[in-house]
Amino acid sequence: MKLKLDIDPDIVAMMAAEVAASERAVSAAMREAGTGLKSDWRGQIIGAGLGRRLANSIRSQNFPRSGESLDAAALVWSKAPEIISAHDTGPLIRSKGGFWLAIPLPAAGKSTRGGRITPGEWERRRGLRLRFVYRRTGPSLLVAEGRLNTKGQAVVSRSKTGRGKVTAPIFLLVPQVKLPKRLNLDRDADRALDSLPELIVANWVGVRLT
């Protein structure tokens, strides 16, 4: 007995169309999920009061970069991963070598390099010496003798009479500090992952009806 199988060209074309439709649906779903997750993470960061600049460190990239694929994927990441991770996990930060952590107070001002100013940089910029003040209750201090300018920052006093001269607390000294957990990135990531089946179906139906 000899059997012969003939495949209808219409069926082949239909199968190819279905594969193409599924590739488009999966790719579109991944793009939507990735874009949505990026937007959600940025919204969380801004809502936590961490600023738009840090929020804009969240980026996304779709794969493949062009075309469609059943293996399509979306990558969402931050260009400032250490900062984001710290606010996402709320870690306990200890000083290196068992020394103090110096927390700048308003009188310290800002660092010229961005971020928090250090005691060494503060002394170099202000031309003042910091003095250690031990306190039995509460954090110890680094203070300086000077005056407060209009911004509330400690500067050198030029007064010969000592008028306006104050002892200004510049840094709090603590052995360790627990950062508060201000973000929950896993929550949004899980939500984006759970939305994928529905997004694929929605995009697949939309493709097949066109």
Side-chain angles (χ1 to χ4, degrees):
M1 180 182 293
K2 187 175 181 180
L3 298 176
K4 182 180 179 182
L5 177 64
D6 290 326
I7 300 177
D8 190 333
D10 291 339
I11 295 178
V12 174
M14 185 181 299
M15 293 175 61
E18 285 293 307
V19 171
S22 64
E23 290 176 338
R24 288 192 293 268
V26 171
S27 298
M30 293 306 304
R31 285 194 295 268
E32 290 183 40
T35 300
L37 180 57
K38 179 178 71 173
S39 178
D40 289 342
W41 279 5
R42 286 184 173 184
Q44 263 205 67
I45 294 167
I46 293 173
L50 299 175
R52 187 167 296 278
R53 182 177 180 181
L54 185 61
N56 288 341
S57 75
I58 302 298
R59 305 295 177 86
S60 65
Q61 178 64 59
N62 300 306
F63 299 94
R65 294 177 182 268
S66 61
E68 287 83 25
S69 172
L70 287 173
D71 295 324
L75 175 65
V76 182
W77 79 98
S78 170
K79 297 186 70 175
E82 293 183 357
I83 298 175
I84 293 295
S85 177
H87 290 296
D88 188 41
T89 60
L92 182 66
I93 300 177
R94 294 185 175 90
S95 62
K96 295 180 180 180
F99 294 104
W100 300 98
L101 285 173
I103 310 299
L105 296 169
K110 302 290 186 179
S111 172
T112 57
R113 298 175 300 224
R116 292 180 174 179
I117 191 170
T118 64
E121 181 187 355
W122 190 91
E123 288 187 328
R124 290 192 299 272
R125 287 180 55 196
R126 300 299 185 187
L128 292 170
R129 296 292 296 177
L130 291 167
R131 178 168 57 87
F132 176 76
V133 176
Y134 174 75
R135 297 196 298 176
R136 294 182 64 183
T137 58
S140 296
L141 301 169
L142 288 178
V143 303
E145 311 295 331
R147 67 176 179 86
L148 298 179
N149 63 15
T150 57
K151 296 181 179 180
Q153 299 173 7
V155 296
V156 173
S157 174
R158 304 298 182 186
S159 173
K160 295 182 179 180
T161 63
R163 182 180 179 181
K165 193 172 184 178
V166 298
T167 299
I170 309 300
F171 292 91
L172 287 178
L173 297 177
V174 295
Q176 62 187 30
V177 63
K178 180 73 166 63
L179 287 183
K181 178 177 170 61
R182 304 173 72 176
L183 302 173
N184 188 351
L185 302 184
D186 285 345
R187 178 195 64 200
D188 289 343
D190 290 341
R191 185 181 297 139
L193 185 62
D194 291 341
S195 72
L196 280 174
E198 183 177 347
L199 288 174
I200 292 173
V201 171
N203 281 282
W204 200 336
V205 170
V207 169
R208 294 178 66 184
L209 293 178
T210 57

